[in-house]
Amino acid sequence: MKRILAGLIAIAMSIGVPMARADELSDSDVKRLALEAILENPEIIMQAIQLLQQRENQAKAEAIGSVLENQRELLEQDPNAPVIGNPEGDVTVVEFFDYNCPYCKRAAPVVKNVIAGDSDVRVVYREWPILGEGSDFAARAALASRNQGKYEEFHWALMALDGRATEASVLKVVRELGLDEDQLRADMEAPEVDAHIQVSMELARQLGFSGTPSFVIGDALAPGLIAEDEMTRLIEAVRDAR
């Protein structure tokens, strides 16, 4: 309420409504002046809301910019994050995803096509299992498959699953790809698997992501499913900005 009142007073002052000095106002004075301003200029309600929204958007953009600046190395060069595409590519696409997210499954061919069409793109995967136990099992299994050199193959197979990723369906893929199940189960409990998931959770929180898929491409955040041409446009924007 105080934020809205402050916005109303700021708008009122900007359109010429006389106000006392801020340090001379009590709470009751603020409420009275705000009410008077509203009665005399009803349109300032929407103006105040717009002003507050602009300030919030600016503050959020500045906060995200700070996160990107401080966490760029971790986002793009974390040695504990899987990379597909060109490991030496000039543009990095970071994707936060969950194997039980239907939109992530729809994003998978988009990423595949972008990689196939641009040999200078590298994709960093952040396993972010937020949709239940099956998601957690799948993420851990995928990360563990790195020790058997099967991450990318395993990743695409899980994304192509018909239905939810569960322990049973994930282990079926393990057997189909010829992975050593005993080794995989042991590797799923490795500290680096825990560390990857914990870092994904923290980065997603700092970036303000609330669901999957979510992408970071240069300084652009793209939460949700994006089309192939939009991803390509964001990649080219990174190059053009250099």
Side-chain angles (χ1 to χ4, degrees), residues 45-91:
I45 295 177
M46 288 305 301
Q47 293 176 6
I49 292 172
Q50 292 170 0
L51 175 63
L52 289 173
Q53 187 63 56
Q54 290 171 0
R55 289 177 177 175
E56 288 177 357
N57 290 343
Q58 181 178 355
K60 182 178 179 180
E62 290 173 355
I64 294 301
S66 177
V67 172
L68 290 174
E69 180 179 356
N70 295 329
Q71 302 288 18
R72 178 77 65 190
E73 185 72 16
L74 185 59
L75 276 166
E76 297 186 354
Q77 304 296 335
D78 182 4
N80 193 29
V83 175
I84 67 170
N86 181 355
E88 305 300 324
D90 66 341
V91 177

Side-chain angles (χ1 to χ4, degrees), residues 11-228:
I11 293 293
M13 293 176 67
S14 72
I15 63 175
V17 177
M19 291 284 172
R21 286 177 49 195
D23 57 3
E24 297 175 350
L25 297 175
S26 65
D27 286 347
S28 60
D29 289 332
V30 170
K31 293 176 182 178
R32 176 178 55 78
L33 290 170
L35 179 58
E36 290 175 0
I38 293 170
L39 293 174
E40 294 177 12
N41 304 274
E43 70 278 5
I44 71 171
I45 295 177
M46 288 305 301
Q47 293 176 6
I49 292 172
Q50 292 170 0
L51 175 63
L52 289 173
Q53 187 63 56
Q54 290 171 0
R55 289 177 177 175
E56 288 177 357
N57 290 343
Q58 181 178 355
K60 182 178 179 180
E62 290 173 355
I64 294 301
S66 177
V67 172
L68 290 174
E69 180 179 356
N70 295 329
Q71 302 288 18
R72 178 77 65 190
E73 185 72 16
L74 185 59
L75 276 166
E76 297 186 354
Q77 304 296 335
D78 182 4
N80 193 29
V83 175
I84 67 170
N86 181 355
E88 305 300 324
D90 66 341
V91 177
T92 298
V93 174
V94 183
E95 181 184 0
F96 291 73
F97 71 96
D98 183 303
Y99 287 113
N100 277 320
C101 165
Y103 297 104
C104 296
K105 291 186 176 184
R106 289 170 59 186
V110 171
V111 174
K112 230 177 188 179
N113 290 341
V114 167
I115 292 171
D118 190 331
S119 60
D120 279 328
V121 170
R122 62 193 296 272
V123 175
V124 173
Y125 278 132
R126 297 269 18 145
E127 301 270 354
W128 189 25
I130 56 176
L131 298 176
E133 292 182 5
S135 297
D136 186 70
F137 189 90
R140 290 178 177 278
L143 291 167
S145 73
R146 294 179 295 179
N147 288 345
Q148 298 184 52
K150 293 276 191 174
Y151 179 85
E152 184 172 355
E153 189 177 359
F154 196 55
H155 170 80
W156 296 128
L158 291 182
M159 280 298 178
L161 277 176
D162 185 15
R164 287 185 61 81
T166 64
E167 181 173 347
S169 63
V170 170
L171 291 178
K172 183 173 183 290
V173 174
V174 168
R175 291 188 288 271
E176 289 173 349
L177 295 183
L179 280 83
D180 184 317
E181 183 177 334
D182 291 336
Q183 180 187 340
L184 186 84
R185 284 186 178 275
D187 291 340
M188 286 171 64
E189 305 303 321
E192 56 266 29
V193 170
D194 287 329
H196 175 96
I197 293 173
Q198 289 170 4
V199 169
S200 294
M201 297 289 184
E202 180 58 23
L203 285 173
R205 183 193 66 78
Q206 292 183 29
L207 291 167
F209 291 147
S210 59
T212 53
S214 290
F215 299 88
V216 181
I217 305 174
D219 289 333
L221 303 189
L225 178 65
I226 59 176
E228 183 179 339

